[in-house]
Amino acid sequence: MARISYRLPPLPIFVLVVSLLFYQSAGLNSEGQYLLDIKSRIGDTYNHLSNWNPNDSTPCGWKGVDCTSDYNPVVWCLDLSSMNLSGSLSPSLGGLVHLTLLNLSFNALSQNIPGEIGNCSSLELLYLNNNHFESQIPVELARLSCLTALNIANNRISGPFPDQIGNLSSLSLLIAYSNNITGSLPASLGNLKRLRTFRAGQNLISGSLPSEIGGCESLEYLGLAQNQLSGEIPKEIGMLQNLTDLILLSNQISGPIPMELSNCTYLRTLALYDNKLVGPIPKELGNLECLKRLYLYRNKLNGTIPREIGNLSSALEIDFSENELTGEIPIELKNIAGLSLLYIFENKLTGVIPVELTTLENMTKLDLSTNYLTGTIPVGVPAFEAPDHVAAFRNENLILLNMGSNNLTGYIPSGVQHCKPLNTFTGPIPPEIGQCHALQRLHLSGNYFTGELPKEIGKLSQLVFFNVSTNSLTGVIPAEIFSCKMLQRLDLTRNHFVGALPGEIGALSQLEILKLSENQLSENIPVEVGKLSRLTDLQMGGNSFSGEIPAELGGISSLQIALNLSYNNLTGPIPAELGNLGPLPSLPLFQKTSISSFLGNKGLCGGPLGNCNESPQLSPHPSDTKGTSVRLGKIIAIISAVIGGISLILIIVIIHFMRRPVDMVAPLQDTPPSSLVSDIYFSPKDGFTFQDLVVATENFDDSFILGRGACGTVYKAVLRCGRVIAVKKLASNREGNTIDNSFQYAYTMKVTEKCDIYSYGVVLLELLTGRAPVQPLDQGGDLVSWVRSYIQAHSLSPGMFDERINLQDQNTIPHMITAMKIALLCTSMSPHDRPTMREVVLMLIESNKLEGHFDSSSFSSSSSSHHANSSDELIINV
């Protein structure tokens, strides 16, 4: 076999070939070298550019670098945005001649923009915004004939726009706001035929807006706000027929508003406010059918508001305030159905407020203040009134209504109270509130108040009603507020109050309702609470109270609505003294109560909770039950069924003396008695049982009905012992939901002056209105508040009575109005203004004799005048 031999080339040639091969594989190309030089001048705190390896042959795999995908790849995109880079930009940038996109935005790059950037002849998109670049815009930028977008906003660039900027014939986006650019706008801007957006606000640009701007035929957005522009708006602005937004606010522009603006038919936003514009508002602006926002405020415009403004059918916000406009408010504004904001305050407008404004149902902000308007505030038109004829401005979206500093007369329409957002406030409650020494009612619930409750509230010596529930108040409850000795209702629920409940609370001898639930109150329940002898409703659940339940609570004999101590950290036995309220601990009813009624107090014991020497079997967490509302409903129903019934005897009085002149309501579907027996217990000391009631009423036959109310039916029962009692059988509410599966009952041998007149008044209101004693928070929270609010708005009218009553019967209505007046006396805020039961009976007798004509002489004239002028009561209701 022949030998095959190979002959190697001479050594120098071999070395040369190997060297060439090594250079070809290991050497970094020129674009990579330029990029490494750029990196060398940049601070990269988070090592975003750590993979920029000089040993690579090309930079195409480096972070932020994109190359073309052809045979000879080149860098076409460099995106280093939002990398927290610092330092300066290298002139080597100009070597990336194939670059079409350069994005260095949202970094901390500083110093000047290198002029070499003008060598990037292929550049189309240049984003240098949100850095610290300084000095002037390099003239070399004007060589980038392919550039379509230039964003240099939010830097420190100074000097003027170069005149050569008009050479950027492809430019469609020029954004340069928030810099230090000075000088006048170059006339060459008019050469930018493709320019669609030009934003250069928040600079120091001076001079006038060049008339050549009219040559930017594609311009849609022109924003030059907050500069130092002067002179007039050129008429050529009307040549910009594609313009949608013209923002020239906060300059020193003078002269009139050019009527040629009406040619910009696609205009959506016209903001010329805070300038020195004079003359009238051009009526031609009414042709801008696409206009949504028209802001001309804080100028020196005069003349009248053109009626043609009413043709702006798409307008959402119009602000002509702080000018020198005269004449009347045009009624044509009613045609702008979607208008949500109308500000024309601080002008010289005269005439009346057009009633037609009340038809603008989308209005959220209306300010007509500081003018010379006269007449009354309009009370609405039939098309805008609710079925119960609520007055104007019933729009629930209204969050600002200002008509101050005019010459208006009459009353504020009651419909304003339906504008719920008007009552939404934030921030702290000002301590200056303590200077309102005559204040009687302070209602601040359902807002977003924060901070601590000011102790200055304790200076309100006449305060009767104080409600700050459902806010975000913090800190301790200041002891000073318990200096308000006239206080009858105190509601601090659903806040973030902490610390102990001050013992000074025992000084509130007039207090009837105390609600502290859903806070973070801690430590022991003060024994001084037991001194609140008039208390009917005590709500302290959902806190962190600890220790034992004070035995002194058993001394509050007036408790008739609720005692709620659920969801605390209470421990120890349930005190036997609470038996004075029912009694509870010794009753089989209490023994049979579900354990869920006591949840949230893992330390309680006794009765159904087990021996106090054993570990309680309660879970402190609401998640272990079927719902908080069910538990609270049970415990409240249990207590109110036993201790609250005494006030219902007064139903007998009203039914007897009114002699039931008419069957006022349609029968309700009562639940069969057999389904109610399980939760009923009558104490043996009362001398009768549930079966006795069944026998006495012949199984609750309709012939024993005394009357019906919103929550049930009242039966008359004559027991074997001769005792006459009234039994209230709770039924279903109007939504069909069962209110409770038990009876409320009351009995008496003699009506005395010791009866709780207030509770009687509530029951009477319940019968008359067909409403439950507890009302939604947005309707006052209770029936008494609802009735008083209704009367303030509509006076005493049949519309407030139970809707099931035949309001066409002329004999029924006068009696019911008289009974309503009596109920209002019984529920007076001050106990001193309430009549005795004897006086109530006399008034009822007198009413029956006069066939509905109420004789105010049957009670003290002081009480009459007090309630007849209840609208004069000083009220702050936010």
Side-chain angles (χ1 to χ4, degrees):
M1 183 171 62
R3 293 183 65 182
I4 299 176
S5 62
Y6 294 91
R7 186 176 181 180
L8 295 174
L11 183 59
I13 297 175
F14 176 82
V15 172
L16 177 61
V17 172
V18 173
S19 298
L20 289 174
L21 291 173
F22 179 82
Y23 177 81
Q24 184 69 23
S25 62
L28 184 62
N29 66 15
S30 58
E31 288 187 326
Q33 297 291 341
Y34 293 138
L35 289 170
L36 286 180
D37 187 63
I38 292 173
K39 178 184 178 182
S40 68
R41 302 195 182 196
I42 290 177
D44 182 15
T45 305
Y46 295 99
N47 295 318
H48 288 291
L49 309 181
S50 60
N51 73 335
W52 286 27
N53 190 348
N55 295 323
D56 294 336
S57 59
T58 71
C60 296
W62 294 355
K63 185 175 182 179
V65 178
D66 286 321
C67 298
T68 59
S69 57
D70 52 17
Y71 175 76
N72 185 25
V74 294
V75 177
W76 73 271
C77 172
L78 179 60
D79 186 353
L80 305 181
S81 61
S82 303
M83 291 187 179
N84 200 33
L85 304 177
S86 58
S88 61
L89 197 54
S90 169
S92 297
L93 181 65
L96 303 175
V97 294
H98 303 287
L99 206 61
T100 59
L101 187 154
L102 175 60
N103 190 351
L104 303 176
S105 62
F106 296 96
N107 283 294
L109 300 172
S110 59
Q111 299 186 26
N112 64 305
I113 301 171
E116 287 78 3
I117 198 172
N119 297 329
C120 302
S121 57
S122 300
L123 202 58
E124 298 178 5
L125 306 172
L126 176 57
Y127 303 116
L128 303 177
N129 53 289
N130 295 84
N131 279 285
H132 304 311
F133 288 119
E134 302 169 355
S135 190
Q136 299 186 19
I137 301 172
V139 177
E140 292 81 359
L141 269 178
R143 300 206 302 261
L144 303 177
S145 59
C146 296
L147 197 65
T148 61
L150 172 60
N151 191 339
I152 55 174
N154 287 308
N155 279 287
R156 301 170 182 173
I157 296 172
S158 59
F161 282 105
D163 291 335
Q164 296 84 348
I165 200 168
N167 297 336
L168 299 174
S169 57
S170 299
L171 199 64
S172 64
L173 179 71
L174 175 55
I175 300 180
Y177 60 80
S178 298
N179 279 287
N180 298 315
I181 298 174
T182 58
S184 301
L185 294 174
S188 63
L189 283 172
N191 299 330
L192 304 178
K193 306 298 183 182
R194 298 182 182 180
L195 189 64
R196 299 175 61 183
T197 299
F198 178 31
R199 299 182 61 185
Q202 291 183 305
N203 279 289
L204 303 171
I205 300 172
S206 58
S208 60
L209 187 64
S211 59
E212 289 80 2
I213 198 72
C216 301
E217 56 190 33
S218 300
L219 196 60
E220 298 175 1
Y221 192 108
L222 177 57
L224 294 168
Q226 294 177 291
N227 277 288
Q228 298 176 4
L229 292 172
S230 58
E232 298 184 5
I233 300 174
K235 297 179 180 179
E236 289 78 4
I237 202 81
M239 299 171 60
L240 304 176
Q241 296 187 10
N242 293 308
L243 196 64
T244 60
D245 297 86
L246 178 59
I247 315 296
L248 300 178
L249 60 95
S250 297
N251 280 284
Q252 300 175 28
I253 300 173
S254 58
I257 299 173
M259 65 179 66
E260 288 78 6
L261 272 174
S262 62
N263 296 328
C264 305
T265 53
Y266 293 106
L267 203 60
R268 296 178 303 187
T269 302
L270 178 58
L272 305 179
Y273 64 87
D274 196 14
N275 278 287
K276 298 181 179 180
L277 296 171
V278 297
I281 298 174
K283 64 180 181 180
E284 290 80 5
L285 294 184
N287 297 330
L288 301 174
E289 295 182 358
C290 297
L291 195 65
K292 294 184 179 296
R293 293 171 177 83
L294 177 57
Y295 303 133
L296 303 180
Y297 63 90
R298 205 171 296 146
N299 280 288
K300 297 182 180 179
L301 300 173
N302 53 33
T304 61
I305 299 175
R307 298 185 183 276
E308 290 78 3
I309 294 298
N311 297 331
L312 300 176
S313 56
S314 300
L316 301 176
E317 299 183 353
I318 295 178
D319 192 341
F320 294 159
S321 62
E322 299 179 68
N323 280 288
E324 299 175 3
L325 300 173
T326 57
E328 299 183 351
I329 301 173
I331 62 174
E332 287 78 7
L333 294 177
K334 70 177 182 179
N335 299 327
I336 312 177
L339 194 63
S340 63
L341 181 149
L342 178 60
Y343 285 175
I344 48 180
F345 61 87
E346 290 191 34
N347 280 285
K348 299 178 180 179
L349 300 173
T350 56
V352 299
I353 300 174
V355 67
E356 290 79 4
L357 290 184
T358 62
T359 64
L360 299 175
E361 298 183 2
N362 293 304
M363 186 74 68
T364 60
K365 297 180 180 180
L366 176 63
D367 197 333
L368 312 178
S369 63
T370 318
N371 281 285
Y372 299 107
L373 300 174
T374 57
T376 60
I377 298 175
V379 296
V381 293
F384 189 60
E385 289 180 350
D388 54 354
H389 302 291
V390 173
F393 307 114
R394 192 177 183 271
N395 181 1
E396 296 185 357
N397 296 320
L398 199 64
I399 61 176
L400 186 150
L401 176 62
N402 189 353
M403 299 182 182
S405 299
N406 280 288
N407 296 321
L408 299 172
T409 58
Y411 298 94
I412 298 175
S414 59
V416 171
Q417 65 183 315
H418 297 283
C419 305
K420 299 176 184 177
L422 287 178
N423 295 333
T424 303
F425 292 83
T426 59
I429 299 173
E432 290 79 7
I433 194 74
Q435 299 175 11
C436 303
H437 301 298
L439 194 63
Q440 296 182 12
R441 292 173 60 89
L442 182 55
H443 193 169
L444 307 177
S445 66
N447 286 284
Y448 299 94
F449 285 115
T450 56
E452 298 185 356
L453 200 61
K455 61 182 180 181
E456 287 78 6
I457 290 177
K459 298 178 181 179
L460 305 177
S461 59
Q462 302 300 312
L463 195 63
V464 174
F465 180 100
F466 183 35
N467 187 345
V468 290
S469 63
T470 317
N471 281 283
S472 298
L473 297 170
T474 57
V476 299
I477 299 174
E480 287 81 1
I481 70 170
F482 302 120
S483 299
C484 304
K485 297 301 192 333
M486 300 294 293
L487 208 57
Q488 295 181 15
R489 298 188 179 190
L490 176 60
D491 192 344
L492 308 180
T493 56
R494 290 183 293 279
N495 281 284
H496 306 293
F497 291 118
V498 297
L501 178 62
E504 287 82 353
I505 193 171
L508 300 180
S509 58
Q510 304 295 321
L511 197 64
E512 298 176 357
I513 296 177
L514 175 60
K515 298 183 178 182
L516 306 173
S517 299
E518 298 180 55
N519 281 284
Q520 300 167 26
L521 299 172
S522 57
E523 301 187 28
N524 293 343
I525 297 175
V527 296
E528 288 81 2
V529 175
K531 298 180 180 179
L532 305 177
S533 59
R534 293 179 177 266
L535 207 59
T536 62
D537 189 354
L538 177 59
Q539 303 278 355
M540 305 180 74
N543 282 286
S544 299
F545 287 117
S546 57
E548 298 185 358
I549 299 175
E552 287 77 5
L553 296 185
I556 310 177
S557 59
S558 58
L559 269 179
Q560 297 183 17
I561 299 177
L563 169 61
N564 182 3
L565 305 178
S566 64
Y567 289 102
N568 282 286
N569 296 323
L570 299 171
T571 58
I574 299 175
E577 286 79 2
L578 290 187
N580 298 331
L581 305 178
L584 287 180
S586 61
L587 287 176
L589 173 62
F590 182 76
Q591 302 295 330
K592 296 178 181 179
T593 298
S594 170
I595 248 180
S596 63
S597 297
F598 306 94
L599 284 174
N601 294 292
K602 61 183 179 180
L604 288 180
C605 56
L609 309 182
N611 193 295
C612 289
N613 297 322
E614 301 174 356
S615 298
Q617 302 298 318
L618 292 179
S619 169
H621 303 292
S623 60
D624 296 334
T625 70
K626 294 183 179 180
T628 302
S629 61
V630 176
R631 292 189 302 275
L632 295 180
K634 285 185 177 181
I635 192 168
I636 291 173
I638 291 168
I639 296 176
S640 60
V642 178
I643 67 174
I646 189 64
S647 62
L648 295 174
I649 180 57
L650 303 173
I651 297 174
I652 298 175
V653 179
I654 180 63
I655 299 299
H656 174 71
F657 286 107
M658 293 186 71
R659 298 180 182 177
R660 299 183 66 227
V662 65
D663 188 7
M664 297 192 299
V665 299
L668 295 174
Q669 294 181 351
D670 292 331
T671 305
S674 59
S675 65
L676 305 174
V677 178
S678 60
D679 284 343
I680 301 174
Y681 178 81
F682 297 103
S683 174
K685 71 177 183 180
D686 292 333
F688 61 90
T689 65
F690 174 76
Q691 189 59 36
D692 293 333
L693 295 179
V694 174
V695 173
T697 59
E698 296 181 8
N699 202 14
F700 299 96
D701 187 82
D702 286 353
S703 61
F704 292 84
I705 293 178
L706 293 174
R708 303 181 190 270
C711 297
T713 306
V714 179
Y715 294 82
K716 175 182 178 181
V718 180
L719 302 180
R720 288 173 295 179
C721 60
R723 176 181 296 171
V724 179
I725 70 169
V727 181
K728 183 178 182 182
K729 177 183 174 186
L730 299 183
S732 299
N733 60 18
R734 293 182 181 177
E735 288 73 24
N737 301 318
T738 300
I739 296 174
D740 191 13
N741 59 342
S742 61
F743 286 88
Q744 294 177 344
Y745 71 99
Y747 63 91
T748 183
M749 295 301 293
K750 178 181 179 182
V751 176
T752 70
E753 294 183 1
K754 296 182 180 180
C755 294
D756 191 325
I757 301 301
Y758 187 94
S759 297
Y760 169 69
V762 173
V763 173
L764 186 53
L765 291 176
E766 179 187 346
L767 289 170
L768 293 170
T769 65
R771 291 175 172 263
V774 178
Q775 293 293 303
L777 288 176
D778 59 353
Q779 298 183 27
D782 60 86
L783 184 55
V784 176
S785 299
W786 180 87
V787 170
R788 292 190 181 279
S789 298
Y790 186 96
I791 292 175
Q792 287 182 355
H794 313 285
S795 74
L796 276 170
S797 60
M800 68 193 305
F801 295 132
D802 194 317
E803 60 187 16
R804 297 165 295 182
I805 297 174
N806 180 12
L807 299 180
Q808 305 302 319
D809 190 326
Q810 298 303 313
N811 294 324
T812 300
I813 299 305
H815 278 292
M816 297 188 70
I817 290 179
T818 300
M820 178 63 70
K821 292 179 179 180
I822 297 173
L824 290 173
L825 288 178
C826 295
T827 55
S828 299
M829 294 302 297
S830 174
H832 301 292
D833 293 332
R834 300 173 194 162
T836 64
M837 197 63 221
R838 191 181 307 277
E839 291 172 330
V840 170
V841 172
L842 290 175
M843 285 188 283
L844 289 170
I845 295 174
E846 187 68 16
S847 170
N848 199 40
K849 290 180 179 179
L850 297 178
E851 295 182 352
H853 299 285
F854 189 59
D855 184 4
S856 61
S857 63
S858 60
F859 59 96
S860 67
S861 59
S862 62
S863 297
S864 175
S865 61
H866 175 80
H867 291 282
N869 298 289
S870 60
S871 60
D872 294 335
E873 181 181 36
L874 183 58
I875 295 177
I876 288 184
N877 188 346
V878 298

